[in-house]
Amino acid sequence: MRCTIFFVPATSERTLRLLTLLQARPVWSGRELAERLETTTRTVRTDIARLRELGYQVEGVPGIAGGYRLRSGENVPPLLFDEDEAVAVLVGLRQMISTSTIGMDAAAESAIGKILQLMPARLRNQARAVAEFTDTEDAGHGVEPELIRALTAACQQRVHTRFDYQTRQGPSSRREVEPYRVVNARRRWYLLAWDTDRRDWRTFRLDRMTLPSFHTGAQFEPRPLPSGDPAGYVLARLKLIPWPYQAWVIVDAPASELVDRLAPNAVIEPISERTCRVRLSADSPRLLAPWLGRLEADFTFADPERDADLVHEIDRVRGHFTHALDCTPTARATGLSRK
C-alpha cells in the first residue's frame, strides 16, 4: 500500500484545517465547521468536495445531529503536511535511526530522502539541515521488526504467548506469559508481561527472545499493573537486577544531575544538596569502569578495599590515557603530560 505526500501552500491552508478538524472527532455539522474555519457553509461544502477529489472518504451524516465525518478506507489518500508537520516527521524519522530495530534505520533513511525530494525548494533547505545535522546514539542490540509486530499484536489481542528466552547468565528456557506492553527503555526493547509460571510481572529483553508463538484462542483478561506507568515500571525493575559486580561511590554532584547520565540499573541516593551516593552494577569491573566516567564529577570509593579490582581497572585505563597525553605535543606544551 502506497500513499502520496502533499506539502500544502498557504492558499490551501483552509483545506488542511478542515481535514484536521474532521480527524479530531467523529462528526461535525456544517455550521460548526464554518464557524471554526471563519467561512460559510457553502465554502465548507466546496472544501469537502476538494477533499473527496483527493481521495478522502468524507461522508454526509443525515439527521438533526448529522453533518460530516471522515471514514477510514482501504486506500491511503494523499497526506497533507504543513511546514511544521513536515519538519516534525523528519525529526521523528531521525530518532528511529539506530533505535535497536534491525532494518528500520534503512527504511527511515529512505523515507527521509523521498520526503526531501518532494518538498518545495525553500523548505527543502531547512529540512535537509534537520536531516543531516541531527543524530542518535547507536543502541548496539538489534531487534527484528517482525518480533516487535508480533509482540504488540499479542498485547492488543490479549493472547497467551510462548517464546524461548536466554537469560543474562546464559541458559535458555521456555517462557509463557500474558503480554502487557512493549517498552523502549534506555535504547533497548523490553516486553513487560505477567509470567504465568512464576506468577509475577517480568521484563524480557527482545534481543534475547525467539519469535513467539501464540495459543490458539487462549486469551486472558489483563491484570492491573502495579504502576500506572509501564515505562517507569520497566526502568524500576531494571534497577533490581542482581548484577555480578557492584560498587558504591560518593559523588560530588547533586543526585538530580546524575539521573540522565547513568545506566537504568544505577541507584542514586542523595546525601546532601551537593553530594550523593551511587551504586553502579555490571557483569565485571571492566564493564563498570566506563560508567564512572559518565559521572562527570569527582568521586571516592565507599569501600576501596572491596572494590580493589575496579581500582585496578581504572589504573589500567589511566595508563592508556597517560600514554596518549605523552604522545601529544599539545598536551606536553600545556603541561598535561606527565613528562
Side-chain angles (χ1 to χ4, degrees):
M1 185 179 292
R2 296 179 179 273
C3 65
T4 304
I5 295 176
F6 287 167
F7 294 95
V8 184
T11 55
S12 301
E13 286 183 0
R14 190 183 65 243
T15 305
L16 176 62
R17 289 171 56 200
L18 172 60
L19 178 59
T20 301
L21 290 173
L22 291 172
Q23 292 172 332
R25 77 183 201 198
V27 178
W28 290 85
S29 70
R31 178 177 296 178
E32 289 176 321
L33 291 173
E35 291 176 354
R36 288 295 190 95
L37 298 172
E38 298 180 351
T39 185
T40 64
T41 55
R42 181 177 180 179
T43 301
V44 169
R45 290 195 295 271
T46 301
D47 290 341
I48 291 289
R50 183 178 297 112
L51 287 176
R52 288 168 175 165
E53 291 175 357
L54 291 172
Y56 292 95
Q57 299 187 41
V58 183
E59 297 178 328
V61 181
I64 298 177
Y68 300 98
R69 69 181 176 194
L70 183 64
R71 183 169 67 89
S72 299
E74 296 180 357
N75 298 321
V76 180
L79 300 178
L80 304 180
F81 290 156
D82 63 17
E83 294 185 6
D84 290 342
E85 290 173 334
V87 173
V89 169
L90 288 175
V91 171
L93 289 171
R94 289 300 300 172
Q95 291 178 342
M96 287 180 62
I97 298 173
S98 300
T99 57
S100 71
T101 307
I102 297 175
M104 294 299 287
D105 53 347
E109 289 282 11
S110 176
I112 288 174
K114 291 178 180 179
I115 292 176
L116 288 174
Q117 185 176 5
L118 292 173
M119 282 184 169
R122 177 182 60 81
L123 181 57
R124 187 184 304 125
N125 291 334
Q126 301 175 21
R128 183 174 286 115
V130 174
E132 293 180 358
F133 293 93
T134 57
D135 209 342
T136 56
E137 177 186 1
D138 185 6
H141 297 272
V143 173
E144 295 286 351
E146 183 181 5
L147 180 58
I148 296 178
R149 290 196 298 267
L151 290 173
T152 52
C155 294
Q156 181 187 49
Q157 298 168 19
R158 303 176 180 177
V159 291
H160 284 267
T161 305
R162 285 177 178 171
F163 52 86
D164 291 329
Y165 188 71
Q166 186 175 16
T167 64
R168 183 168 49 84
Q169 291 77 15
S172 180
S173 62
R174 176 63 56 87
R175 312 301 283 267
E176 182 171 327
V177 303
E178 298 174 358
Y180 182 83
R181 192 69 57 87
V182 176
V183 175
N184 188 287
R186 299 298 176 95
R187 310 198 61 76
R188 282 182 178 164
W189 289 100
Y190 295 90
L191 172 66
L192 174 59
W194 175 266
D195 192 313
T196 57
D197 292 330
R198 292 157 179 80
R199 309 296 300 173
D200 194 9
W201 290 96
R202 291 287 191 271
T203 57
F204 304 93
R205 274 177 50 176
L206 267 61
D207 58 304
R208 295 176 177 167
M209 183 187 302
T210 62
L211 193 64
S213 61
F214 310 126
H215 292 265
T216 303
Q219 292 186 304
F220 63 89
E221 189 65 25
R223 304 169 188 271
L225 187 68
S227 168
D229 178 13
Y233 185 75
V234 169
L235 288 172
R237 291 299 294 259
L238 293 178
K239 294 183 179 181
L240 302 178
I241 295 176
W243 295 85
Y245 190 86
Q246 297 181 347
W248 285 96
V249 292
I250 308 300
V251 186
D252 293 335
S256 59
E257 292 185 2
L258 302 181
V259 173
D260 294 332
R261 301 178 190 172
L262 301 178
N265 62 324
V267 176
I268 306 172
E269 299 178 353
I271 297 177
S272 68
E273 293 183 357
R274 303 183 62 179
T275 60
C276 59
R277 191 167 179 258
V278 177
R279 187 193 71 188
L280 298 172
S281 306
D283 286 320
S284 67
R286 176 164 293 191
L287 294 176
L288 191 148
W291 286 106
L292 293 172
R294 296 288 296 272
L295 294 172
E296 298 182 13
D298 293 335
F299 65 90
T300 57
F301 289 99
D303 189 346
E305 293 185 3
R306 188 196 64 179
D307 298 324
D309 291 341
L310 180 57
V311 173
H312 174 74
E313 177 63 23
I314 294 174
D315 187 58
R316 184 188 67 84
V317 174
R318 181 180 62 176
H320 296 310
F321 282 102
T322 302
H323 175 75
L325 289 174
D326 289 345
C327 298
T328 303
T330 303
R332 290 200 299 268
T334 56
L336 294 177
S337 173
R338 64 181 177 183
K339 292 183 178 179

